[in-house]
């Protein structure tokens, strides 16, 4: 159904990097020894897609204190394809960087901090063989095996993923002869406009990186919006983290629709994007 293709297209709809972003990204890549002596500033947002055999050191930084994949994706996209195939220890190390936007590497050679403000994308099949849900019922995986496979993604990690989407397979006929989708340039125009609204509001960072203390001021909910958030937290057993993330997504949806206030409709749409189910 094109999960990997969609992930690789994401940088093309993100706003171009500003000078400060380009400088920070270039410094990280230079520290990793990936740039030649005559290289200029990186102007394209990075896209990093490590193999599922990557180690913790490869993700956060090795014994020589070189930055790992998390920092190399700073101001860009980190894509983990077939996420359940990654070692549990590798996935769990994502927790702190996703919260704080930086990586702390401590090795025998010393300690260092690297930035890691990333957009994380994780893709997974529904079962180990990858055939579950296909029209010809080619999958032979028992349900218990499929459940164990997806449970490799822990609750705390899933709690930090803002959008949970199920993509269904499409036929080759649809892929080759179906109606074309929107061009990335068209989508980027809307994204840039939404980001500009955030800047005009006085935000130094995008909605996804807003500190909790700033949410009340920057994501003002209508009375009905507050009620819907409260109902969602009760009905779906949301943690405080998941609730604030729901509000951040609703704030972004409001920005995309050119709305100052975050309404109940925006919150309900955010719930749908998170694919919430009762606890």
């Amino acid at each position: 159904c094109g999960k990997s293709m969609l992930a690789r297209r994401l940088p093309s709809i993100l706003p171009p990097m500003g000078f400060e972003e380009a400088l920070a990204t270039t410094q990280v890549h230079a520290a990793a020894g990936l740039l030649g002596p005559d290289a200029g500033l990186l102007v394209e947002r990075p896209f990093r897609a490590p193999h599922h055999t990557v180690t913790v050191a490869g993700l956060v930084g090795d014994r020589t204190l070189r930055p790992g994949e998390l920092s190399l994706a700073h101001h860009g996209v980190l894509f983990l394809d077939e996420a359940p195939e990654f070692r549990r220890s590798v996935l769990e190390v994502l927790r702190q960087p996703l919260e704080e936007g930086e990586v702390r590497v401590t090795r025998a050679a010393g300690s260092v901090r690297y930035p890691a403000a990333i957009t994380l994308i994780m893709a997974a099949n529904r079962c180990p063989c990858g055939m579950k849900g296909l029209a010809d019922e080619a999958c032979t995986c028992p349900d218990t095996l499929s459940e164990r496979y997806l449970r490799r993604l822990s609750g705390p990690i899933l709690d930090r993923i803002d959008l949970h989407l199920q993509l269904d397979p499409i036929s080759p006929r649809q892929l080759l002869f179906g109606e074309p989708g929107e061009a990335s340039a068209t989508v980027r125009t809307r994204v840039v406009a939404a980001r500009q609204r955030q800047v005009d509001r006085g935000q130094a960072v995008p909605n996804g990186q807003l500190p909790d203390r700033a949410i009340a001021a920057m994501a003002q909910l209508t009375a009905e919006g507050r009620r819907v958030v409260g109902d969602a937290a009760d009905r779906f057993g949301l943690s405080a983290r998941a609730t604030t993330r729901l509000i951040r997504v609703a704030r972004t949806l409001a920005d995309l629709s050119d709305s100052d206030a975050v309404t109940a409709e925006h919150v309900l749409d955010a719930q749908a994007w998170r694919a919430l189910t009762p606890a």
Side-chain angles (χ1 to χ4, degrees):
C1 57
K3 301 187 298 297
S4 299
M5 182 190 70
L6 285 171
R8 292 182 181 278
R9 299 300 184 274
L10 186 63
S12 68
I13 69 170
L14 294 176
M17 285 200 293
F19 176 76
E20 294 297 330
E21 290 179 318
L23 181 61
T25 302
T26 302
Q27 289 173 331
V28 172
H29 283 247
L34 299 181
L35 300 180
D38 300 324
L41 285 179
L42 297 176
V43 295
E44 299 292 335
R45 292 189 182 274
F47 179 90
R48 306 293 299 185
H51 191 261
H52 65 79
T53 57
V54 69
T55 63
V56 170
L59 199 64
V60 301
D62 62 19
R63 58 188 177 86
T64 67
L65 301 182
R66 287 189 304 179
E69 294 290 343
L70 266 165
S71 295
L72 292 173
H74 183 52
H75 290 316
V77 175
L78 178 67
F79 177 44
L80 304 185
D81 199 8
E82 306 299 345
E85 299 290 346
F86 284 74
R87 295 184 182 92
R88 185 71 173 260
S89 59
V90 170
L91 295 177
E92 293 303 310
V93 84
L94 294 168
R95 292 195 199 183
Q96 175 258 334
L98 289 176
E99 289 291 318
E100 301 178 9
E102 68 175 18
V103 173
R104 291 189 288 270
V105 184
T106 301
R107 300 287 186 263
S111 298
V112 66
R113 288 186 176 189
Y114 286 118
I118 65 168
T119 297
L120 174 68
I121 304 178
M122 302 172 75
N125 287 315
R126 302 180 194 177
C127 67
C129 79
M131 304 298 285
K132 192 178 184 66
L134 296 182
D136 57 4
E137 297 295 335
C139 174
T140 59
C141 299
D143 289 341
T144 53
L145 179 61
S146 299
E147 292 171 3
R148 284 201 305 273
Y149 182 70
L150 292 177
R151 279 204 301 268
R152 294 180 186 177
L153 305 177
S154 70
I157 289 296
L158 293 176
D159 207 30
R160 289 165 168 82
I161 306 296
D162 293 335
L163 310 178
H164 300 182
L165 308 176
Q166 178 174 307
L167 302 180
D168 296 317
I170 63 174
S171 69
R173 180 180 296 275
Q174 289 174 295
L175 179 65
L176 295 173
F177 308 118
E179 290 294 324
E182 278 189 297
S184 293
T186 303
V187 179
R188 175 181 262 187
T189 299
R190 294 201 300 273
V191 174
V192 169
R195 285 285 183 93
Q196 187 58 49
R197 286 184 62 85
Q198 296 164 31
V199 172
D200 294 343
R201 205 161 45 233
Q203 291 180 206
V205 294
N207 293 334
Q209 299 169 24
L210 268 179
D212 292 349
R213 63 182 180 275
I215 289 179
M218 299 298 179
Q220 296 181 357
L221 293 158
T222 63
E224 185 66 9
R226 287 195 298 272
R227 184 191 66 77
V228 173
V229 168
D231 289 347
D234 293 339
R235 181 184 178 194
F236 301 113
L238 300 184
S239 66
R241 177 184 294 109
T243 303
T244 56
R245 286 182 175 274
L246 179 68
I247 295 173
R248 288 189 183 100
V249 174
R251 172 70 270 179
T252 299
L253 292 171
D255 287 336
L256 287 167
S257 62
D258 202 25
S259 172
D260 291 329
V262 182
T263 67
E265 182 180 2
H266 297 133
V267 176
L268 291 170
D269 285 346
Q271 286 181 217
W273 281 105
R274 198 175 175 90
L276 294 173
T277 54

